[in-house]
Amino acid sequence: MANSDNNNKTAWQMATQVIHAGSGHDDPHGALAAPLYQTSTFKFANTEQGSARFAGEEGGYIYSRLGNPTTHELETRVAALEGYDAAAATATGMGAIAATTMAFVKAGDHIIVSDAIYGCSFALFSELFERFGVHADFVDLTDADALTAALKDNTRLVFLESPANPHLKLVDIEAVSQILAGRDIKLIVDNTFMTPLLQQPKQLGADLVIHSATKFLNGHGDVVAGIVCGSNDDIALIKGTTLKDMGATISPHDAWLILRGLKTLDVRMQRHCENAEKVADFLHKHSLVRKVYYPGLAEHPNHSLIGTQMRHAGAVIAFELDGDEAQARYFLNQLQMIPLAVSLGDAETLIQHPASMTHSPYTPEARQKAGISDTLVRIAVGLEAAQDIIADLSQALQSSQQRWQRSA
């Protein structure tokens, strides 16, 4: 019977899995929703049970930093969605990135990182890792020759985002995986922008997949959290070393909130993506917009990955205004409905200025190399009526145009 149940779950569509995968809680009262185990510690029946659990000789919970039933249900569900054996939930997305990458390196090791990533990830690898003797090379991973040339005998991992934050650069994950084949190098993919509904890096050869669960997985802007999915052995290593000892574990309440958010992930992503297509089309046609970075547009250099690597282009768009930084800031300050805020995946559409906000840890030279200009704007398209999002962008652009004409 158990095998039959597992086979049925494997056959479920993603829209069903976001609701039912991993929902194996055994509540004595028959609660439909996952129970919230808001506790720091767990009682033992006797000293023998306590010592057996600490020794790993008996299953069960000890302390919520080491494991919690609510957290475990979240981990099981997201692992199922990504197609992995296991997962580890963390207090933040950066907690997931730090705990995962640090678990596989030591002083003297070398890592390769995509040349376009989130600002705090850039700072982690370029500054903190260097302080502890781990050198990172930032490489254009769309260039197979550049990746091959960067590989060293002491290379231990390759880390990438696809689409990349903030300007939606795509990396062919399978092509990178093929170059790494046969080498003892972990391929780690940040899949935050896509969610497992739009992209499953495991199918393309990724060893581990990371999410900022703050974003689409939760979807309500009221949690900061992260999660990493991988093999049983890799997740056990992360949980038993870096995550345990750095203490970046998720709170049970936040895990419970994300479980609630996951139930609507499928319908939310449909609306996010539909709205993003309309907003991208509007921006693409506007005279004040110099360039739009959105994989769904045919002019995007890696548009061909839509339908192969990715099921859809997603809900994040970057665009450059035809002006300077002061004009970009003025435009952002004229928005009335769209909040100026640095996140994505919420019900609200959010907009921000990467050069001075999310990617401010980059040096000016690094920003230039990564293609993050002073007029680049990132918009995470939300769930409002598309015409209202476009109307707010339109009036802000019109106001900006009038001001620029007066000052010309």
Side-chain angles (χ1 to χ4, degrees):
M1 180 62 71
N3 289 337
S4 175
D5 289 344
N6 288 334
N7 290 336
N8 289 338
K9 291 179 180 180
T10 302
W12 284 341
Q13 299 298 308
M14 295 293 277
T16 303
Q17 289 197 46
V18 295
I19 298 170
H20 292 288
S23 56
H25 58 259
D26 185 17
D27 179 64
H29 306 291
L32 176 63
L36 170 56
Y37 289 87
Q38 188 65 48
T39 182
S40 59
T41 195
F42 298 84
K43 296 186 296 183
F44 307 127
N46 48 54
T47 58
E48 288 75 19
Q49 184 183 66
S51 59
R53 288 187 181 180
F54 269 94
E57 298 167 354
E58 177 184 308
Y61 295 97
I62 298 171
Y63 187 70
S64 278
R65 177 162 55 86
L66 308 177
N68 177 285
T70 309
T71 301
H72 179 69
E73 183 160 343
L74 171 65
E75 292 168 341
T76 304
R77 184 166 304 176
V78 178
L81 291 171
E82 284 286 9
Y84 287 95
D85 298 327
T90 63
T92 67
M94 283 307 304
I97 292 171
T100 300
T101 53
M102 288 181 180
F104 297 100
V105 296
K106 64 183 185 305
D109 285 343
H110 171 253
I111 68 172
I112 294 173
V113 183
S114 176
D115 62 349
I117 57 170
Y118 172 52
C120 289
S121 299
F122 176 84
L124 173 70
F125 299 130
S126 65
E127 297 175 15
L128 288 180
F129 269 43
E130 290 286 350
R131 284 173 53 189
F132 294 101
V134 178
H135 177 67
D137 279 325
F138 294 84
V139 177
D140 179 1
L141 295 184
T142 65
D143 184 339
D145 292 337
L147 171 57
T148 302
L151 291 170
K152 301 178 181 181
D153 291 341
N154 63 335
T155 303
R156 295 292 172 258
L157 64 87
V158 173
F159 179 92
L160 66 90
E161 299 172 4
S162 186
N165 188 353
H167 52 44
L168 291 304
K169 180 179 182 178
L170 301 186
V171 174
D172 188 329
I173 299 169
E174 187 170 23
V176 171
S177 173
Q178 290 173 351
I179 292 172
L180 301 182
R183 303 172 185 263
D184 185 21
I185 298 173
K186 296 291 185 185
L187 175 56
I188 303 172
V189 177
D190 186 329
N191 201 32
T192 299
F193 275 30
M194 286 285 94
T195 81
L197 272 66
L198 302 184
Q199 180 173 269
Q200 290 178 303
K202 182 177 187 286
Q203 297 180 357
L204 306 166
D207 295 295
L208 296 123
V209 168
I210 290 172
H211 289 272
S212 172
T214 309
K215 312 303 193 294
F216 293 107
L217 297 188
N218 176 55
H220 292 77
D222 52 11
V223 165
V224 288
I227 195 161
V228 52
C229 304
S231 69
N232 283 321
D233 287 345
D234 284 347
I235 296 302
L237 175 66
I238 294 165
K239 283 186 172 183
T241 58
T242 49
L243 185 56
K244 172 179 70 72
D245 296 333
M246 290 192 297
T249 45
I250 194 172
S251 81
H253 185 244
D254 287 346
W256 184 84
L257 287 171
I258 299 168
L259 279 168
R260 183 192 63 176
L262 276 172
K263 291 183 179 182
T264 59
L265 179 62
D266 182 73
V267 292
R268 285 190 287 108
M269 291 309 297
Q270 290 181 44
R271 180 64 170 265
H272 278 301
C273 293
E274 290 170 2
N275 280 355
E277 287 183 348
K278 296 173 183 177
V279 171
D281 183 62
F282 162 77
L283 292 169
H284 183 61
K285 295 175 180 177
H286 202 284
S287 60
L288 290 185
V289 177
R290 179 188 300 150
K291 187 171 184 178
V292 178
Y293 300 89
Y294 183 63
L297 295 174
E299 65 182 31
H300 191 282
N302 298 109
H303 176 71
S304 61
L305 290 177
I306 305 293
T308 54
Q309 176 168 296
M310 309 152 62
R311 297 181 182 92
H312 194 278
V316 182
I317 304 166
F319 60 98
E320 289 182 356
L321 293 172
D322 190 10
D324 57 23
E325 182 176 348
Q327 292 165 333
R329 288 175 179 268
Y330 183 85
F331 156 74
L332 289 168
N333 290 339
Q334 304 315 301
L335 292 163
Q336 298 172 0
M337 182 193 76
I338 301 172
L340 185 61
V342 291
S343 193
L344 54 110
D346 293 347
E348 298 87 354
T349 295
L350 304 177
I351 200 164
Q352 62 106 0
H353 181 241
S356 66
M357 297 178 184
T358 53
H359 290 69
S360 57
Y362 277 65
T363 63
E365 295 76 18
R367 281 201 303 273
Q368 183 178 13
K369 181 181 178 182
I372 303 169
S373 73
D374 291 338
T375 66
L376 187 73
V377 173
R378 190 193 75 187
I379 181 169
V381 181
L383 304 179
E384 305 96 339
Q387 57 265 41
D388 292 328
I389 302 170
I390 291 170
D392 197 25
L393 291 169
S394 180
Q395 66 80 23
L397 287 166
Q398 183 178 6
S399 176
S400 302
Q401 186 175 39
Q402 291 170 350
R403 180 179 184 273
W404 299 344
Q405 289 174 343
R406 288 195 302 268
S407 61

